[in-house]
Amino acid sequence: MKRPTIAIIGAGTVGVTTAYTLIQQPHVANIILVDINEVRCKGEIDDLSDALSFNPVTQVTIGALKDAAQADIVIITAGLPQKPGQSRLDLLDANYKIIKSIVQGMQPINPNLIMIMVTNPVDILTYVAQQFSGLPKQQIFGSGTLLDTQRLRSLISAKINVSPQSIEVFVLGEHGDNQVVSWSTATVAGKPLAQFFAKKELDNLAKQTRDKAYNIIACKGSTAYGVATCIAAYCNTIIFDTKTIVPVSCYVQQFDVCMNVPAVIGQKGIEQVLLPSLDTQESTSLQNAAVVLKSHIKTLL
Ligand code: NAD
């Protein structure tokens, strides 16, 4: 991809941290920020412009939904964040209305646009964006359990002293309370990860991963850096067409919902969905996650 234009809709904590992460990389040509709060958005752009003095080849500008629709990649972070104690699913009613109006307000959309949903509950809103955008499903995915997967890999890394990227394990299903760890297929250099830990320790690692966002939100009100890093990683996979396998929230035909599974990501978005061969308990948990997501979708569409 030529040096791309990336639009970010929602210039709040996650949107601006993502913009800041992306401007550290000179291969991005333009970043367009869109927010209903134009004053805040202008202030963020002015602030970001101070960070551009070492990178004069990237521009950050304010835009409207119609401008975002003509970008190469659009990242949607607009909407309410969780308050302490709220689950991601608690945000559904309010954020469904916001995402529906944004996607409808973007029309007509560049047919080659890749859309990355971030707003929670991300799995359901990825599905909603697929329904209203008119884009092929493989061009829309959610930034979901890549973050949880990185959290889990980092926890394991600290215990076995191996780089997180050398640990082959995925967090799948819902980016939320019904997430599922693929322990049965998890390996380090071909050795089953289960050989390194007792069952109780595996359960504890999964719980710490699931609860991490709640703990950060309880302390500081929002999460930003991990998700921004994951979004930048997705963007690089698209821009450089690396065909990296990463967990994404994408349409899984077998369950007729969007949820998180490993997928090959390239310039055109999702190129292959690769569901690991899970054991019976993990498969049942994945199906249960799909049932929960589907029951929420039924209340909307
Ligand atoms: P925030 O409140 O700081 O920012 C949200 C921004 O959206 C605000 O600036 C607001 O003005 C804007 N906005 C609201 N309605 C809009 C509209 N119709 N058009 C344009 N802009 C609009 O919240 P945040 O902390 O940045 O979180 C944003 C979303 O990202 C939340 O839903 C949060 O749960 C989600 N999130 C997802 C992940 C993930 O891993 N997927 C991680 C962290 C946060």
Side-chain angles (χ1 to χ4, degrees):
M1 191 181 275
K2 61 174 183 14
R3 287 180 67 232
T5 294
I6 301 181
I8 301 174
I9 304 178
T13 305
V14 175
V16 169
T17 311
T18 301
Y20 181 70
T21 307
L22 289 170
I23 64 174
Q24 308 304 319
Q25 311 179 358
H27 53 261
V28 175
N30 294 306
I31 294 179
I32 302 173
L33 279 186
V34 183
D35 201 289
I36 40 165
N37 185 341
E38 279 194 25
V39 174
R40 161 102 194 253
C41 195
K42 279 185 183 138
E44 294 291 1
I45 288 168
D46 261 2
D47 198 7
L48 283 164
S49 73
D50 287 343
L52 280 173
S53 54
F54 294 100
N55 170 11
V57 295
T58 301
Q59 288 184 348
V60 183
T61 53
I62 193 164
L65 291 178
K66 300 251 180 257
D67 306 311
Q70 300 314 311
D72 298 298
I73 299 173
V74 67
I75 298 159
I76 303 188
T77 69
L80 298 187
Q82 288 164 267
K83 294 196 188 90
Q86 260 188 327
S87 80
R88 294 170 179 91
L89 288 170
D90 291 336
L91 305 171
L92 181 58
D93 289 345
N95 284 350
Y96 166 69
K97 291 189 188 103
I98 291 173
I99 296 306
K100 185 178 171 193
S101 78
I102 286 174
V103 174
Q104 289 178 333
M106 287 172 68
Q107 301 294 343
I109 297 180
N110 161 20
N112 298 316
L113 181 75
I114 307 289
M115 185 181 286
I116 305 177
M117 182 59 64
V118 182
T119 305
N120 277 316
V122 66
D123 306 305
I124 299 174
L125 297 178
T126 301
Y127 186 91
V128 166
Q130 289 181 348
Q131 302 306 307
F132 290 108
S133 69
L135 289 171
K137 287 189 169 75
Q138 61 270 25
Q139 286 171 223
I140 304 182
F141 62 84
S143 178
T145 61
L146 174 57
L147 177 55
D148 306 286
T149 297
Q150 292 302 107
R151 284 172 175 156
L152 177 61
R153 288 180 181 182
S154 297
L155 286 169
I156 295 169
S157 161
K159 291 202 179 277
I160 64 172
N161 211 15
V162 167
S163 158
Q165 298 323 315
S166 300
I167 299 166
E168 173 85 4
V169 63
F170 293 108
V171 180
L172 308 174
E174 186 201 351
H175 174 56
D177 298 338
N178 299 298
Q179 55 187 234
V180 182
V181 179
S182 65
W183 291 125
S184 64
T185 62
T187 55
V188 176
K191 244 174 113 96
L193 201 66
Q195 287 182 7
F196 292 78
F197 298 101
K199 166 87 176 66
K200 207 173 155 195
E201 283 178 284
L202 294 180
D203 290 346
N204 192 30
L205 287 165
K207 184 176 178 336
Q208 281 183 64
T209 302
R210 198 174 51 238
D211 291 347
K212 190 161 185 191
Y214 286 118
N215 294 336
I216 298 171
I217 290 168
C219 292
K220 58 167 275 199
S222 58
T223 64
Y225 303 111
V227 64
T229 309
C230 290
I231 298 165
Y234 285 130
C235 288
N236 289 341
T237 306
I238 296 163
I239 295 164
F240 297 111
D241 198 22
T242 60
K243 313 211 188 288
T244 306
I245 296 174
V246 275
V248 290
S249 186
C250 61
Y251 182 72
V252 185
Q253 192 151 20
Q254 178 181 346
F255 300 118
D256 187 33
V257 290
C258 287
M259 66 179 186
N260 294 270
V261 292
V264 178
I265 306 291
Q267 202 163 5
K268 295 195 164 75
I270 293 167
E271 298 192 356
Q272 285 184 63
V273 171
L274 300 162
L275 198 54
S277 309
L278 302 172
D279 69 16
T280 312
Q281 197 189 338
E282 290 161 357
S283 296
T284 306
S285 301
L286 206 62
Q287 275 166 18
N288 289 343
V291 168
V292 170
L293 293 169
K294 197 149 190 165
S295 69
H296 283 278
I297 289 170
K298 277 198 181 134
T299 65
L300 306 170
L301 302 171

